[in-house]
Amino acid sequence: MKRIITILAALAFSASAFAQVHITTPTTSLVISADKGKDARYLYYGKRLSDNDLNNLSSSGTSKMNIYPAYGFNCTDEFCLSLTHADGNMSTVLKVEDVQTSQESNSVVTRIVLKDTVYPFYVTVCYRAYQDVDMIETWTEIENKEKKAVMLTRFDSACLPLRVGDTWVSHLNGKWANEARLVEEKLERGILVIQNKDGVRNAQTDHSEVMISLDGKAQENTGRVIGAALCYSGNYQLRFNSPASSYHQFFAGICPDNSHYYLDPKEVFVTPQLALTFSDEGLSGASRNFHRWGRNYKMAHGNTERKILLNSWEGVYFDINEAGMGQMMDDIASMGGELFVMDDGWFGEKYPRLNDKSSLGDWGVDKNKLPGGVAALVRMATEKGIRFGIWIEPEMTNTVSELYEKHPDWIIKAPQRDPVTGRGGSQLVLDMSNPQVQDFVFKVVDDIMSENPGIDYIKWDANMSIQNHGSQYLPKDRQSHLYIEYHRGFAKTCDRIRAKYPDVTIQACASGGGRANWGIMPWFDEFWVSDNTDALQRIYMQWGTSYFFPAIAMASHISAVPNHQTNRVTSLKFRIDVAMSGRLGMEIQPKNMTDREKEICRNAIAEYKKIRPVVQFGDIYRLVSPYEGKNMASLMYCTQDKKQAVFYWWKTETMHGEQFPRVRMAGLDPDKTYTVHELNRIDKNPLKFEGKSFTGRFLMDNGLEIPYTNNADNTFDWSSRVLHLVAE
Ligand code: GLA
């Protein structure tokens, strides 16, 4: 009989020759057969198994998919790894050499060491299983002990078998100003590929996260769902292979296109992590797992409340000056905000940044616009009782800049060709594989922060993709390392910045939502979901984004009407009610607001402060999807102790005489009694249930009848409600 290794806390050991490896989180099990000298195979991933079922697992029927299939011996299959050995042999055969486990603070790491049967070539497949959240991070360490370099042509992070059935995939797709739109499709025969080759902004179009529903089209609060997120900021490729067999195969890793990698002797290539979760509470259950893990382990300051801010971009665009910044600071302070962020347009001495055609890289203050420099602005903010933040785009330059004049060799471009330019007809990407560029980018942040220690927040932008393949730094025979080395350089630089400035809040922006990924979040506090601030379209984009990312990470701002991207006019209440479901901020010129509008925002900010911990640290329960075509959407957040919840209801279309479903709530304690209070009320009369109390059971079985329209002067068709529920 095979020995079962159940991974026990505080125990580090090597497996005996025959083993079934049981990797566990609080409610899930991942089981692998790892017999020494044999293939390592996936037996099970799902709800946590009892000892009895674990013992008999193999007899129940299991997948038998190799945990890291390599090319060359079953050539017709899909695989995780392909390479050419130093002697030209293109085949690799990996067998189990060892199994090791070790305890880290809140997790157990299992390492399954595989070795080629002929060559001194090793692949260690690693699993970090958290003991307090249902998440397993898996990655591989590929080690070349051959005498010469080996060329890797595919090097996935991981794969997973999925039993054929009514299996669906939910993923996100979009473009600038329309990011993270939900796509749901049934897995059919053939190959589904989700990938990104932008080089810099890997979430602008497709996302590297998926939900896999095992029981038919995904439901929000029921059904078995596997969530997978590739934690990487560079090019990626996710593949679902569905051959004529009983299993679909899911693969995830760095996109290998134009990225073949020469692995030198003794070098170890570490792939990005794939974070895996399983929930039998539907999509929302898997989202809650991602959010908890993310807040606790995978993002900067995930357990610290975010400040309510005003960002200057849509208010003044490039028209920055000291008086204008002061006025915006006064306005946000008077509305109860806590932070002011000066966006693009503040820098450039020789070439002032008047528009997007010049100056990136020249991070000296434009003294014509800001005679007192950044220091004067930080002082002003302090005097007004708020904090100050600043925009930078340090990985980029323009053809019109002092930096480019001095260091034309720092940009990415193909040899012997003119560089391809981006935004403004003149933007260029700096070559982050070059250590001098890494030093420069570090220094951009270091100079700003050391000269102005009062800076509380950085908006770090990145507005261009890698358009022309070529590093002026990497040797001729390592040009294919560019995409990978760019992100290694980026990671090293971020490490240095965080080591020196652990407390500053950093937003990842990349032409809007281009860097919403779990690869960068360990250094970043949040991301800008989209340059589109239209409240209606935000409902759709934030819905998709919330599949994988918690509200605390989703910057969501109240902006002006007509909206600058869609020209749509929605009521201020609607804009507030949408922005309040994420990390609330403002993106507006307050000077143009009426006193009444400012009053409404002042009230909203005060209300948000009350619910901020519920939204930012709570559990999400999505209730009615805007994508279902019911002309409304609804979701809620509940605190983990279930003492408080916030319920959102937004109309997504208005037709006269239209009926909407009565929304049943979720996530409450059935036995607790909750008092209902409407936030951001504009109606002439309170709601019928204002101040009334209901059991969680009633609210989850029946919900409350939400009036279809707001009853107030000057409202528009886009009605909305936010309810705060507090347990008695
Ligand atoms: C990008 C960002 C915007 C803004 C501008 C400034 O487009 O997404 O939020 O910062 O750059 O140029």
Side-chain angles (χ1 to χ4, degrees), residues 306 457 506-508 521 524-528 552-553 555 583:
R306 301 294 188 260
Y457 180 106
I506 313 183
Q507 180 188 79
M521 291 311 284
F524 288 78
D525 298 69
E526 60 177 33
F527 51 80
W528 186 221
I552 192 171
R583 194 283 280 134

Side-chain angles (χ1 to χ4, degrees), residues 313 318 343-344 391 423 459 461 463 509 511-512 528 531:
W313 181 241
F318 292 100
D343 207 289
D344 200 350
W391 180 95
R423 189 182 182 196
K459 175 172 174 177
D461 216 333
N463 287 310
C509 177
S511 315
W528 186 221
D531 274 347

Side-chain angles (χ1 to χ4, degrees), residues 343-527:
D343 207 289
D344 200 350
W346 59 269
F347 52 92
E349 289 159 300
K350 181 172 171 192
Y351 302 108
R353 176 83 166 169
L354 304 174
N355 50 44
D356 63 7
K357 296 186 187 335
S358 71
S359 326
L360 294 172
D362 301 350
W363 300 104
V365 175
D366 178 352
K367 285 281 171 61
N368 291 321
K369 291 179 180 176
L370 301 169
V374 174
L377 300 175
V378 176
R379 242 187 347 263
M380 250 197 259
T382 312
E383 281 160 18
K384 295 173 202 299
I386 57 173
R387 305 299 303 271
F388 183 78
I390 196 162
W391 180 95
I392 51 173
E393 196 180 352
E395 297 152 83
M396 305 284 163
T397 189
N398 289 104
T399 50
V400 183
S401 70
E402 291 185 76
L403 182 74
Y404 185 55
E405 285 171 352
K406 219 161 128 196
H407 296 292
D409 54 322
W410 281 8
I411 64 153
I412 288 179
K413 78 169 207 71
Q416 303 183 60
R417 299 184 196 282
D418 289 338
V420 177
T421 51
R423 189 182 182 196
S426 69
Q427 188 156 337
L428 302 162
V429 185
L430 295 177
D431 183 355
M432 289 296 289
S433 74
N434 182 341
Q436 284 183 307
V437 173
Q438 295 162 22
D439 287 345
F440 169 78
V441 172
F442 171 76
K443 200 166 173 304
V444 171
V445 176
D446 195 30
D447 286 351
I448 292 174
M449 292 300 296
S450 52
E451 284 160 24
N452 306 284
I455 287 184
D456 186 62
Y457 180 106
I458 289 173
K459 175 172 174 177
W460 179 310
D461 216 333
N463 287 310
M464 193 180 163
S465 49
I466 293 178
Q467 297 276 2
N468 42 183
H469 195 129
S471 166
Q472 302 184 72
Y473 168 74
L474 293 170
K476 280 195 184 108
D477 59 356
R478 292 293 185 273
Q479 288 291 309
S480 60
H481 291 201
L482 173 61
Y483 291 114
I484 290 168
E485 290 298 347
Y486 184 97
H487 288 279
R488 285 181 176 167
F490 177 70
K492 273 190 215 155
T493 311
C494 290
D495 277 343
R496 281 171 74 187
I497 291 169
R498 275 307 186 190
K500 189 152 179 197
Y501 302 104
D503 298 329
V504 66
T505 302
I506 313 183
Q507 180 188 79
C509 177
S511 315
R515 271 189 172 160
N517 66 60
W518 282 115
I520 54 140
M521 291 311 284
W523 305 289
F524 288 78
D525 298 69
E526 60 177 33
F527 51 80

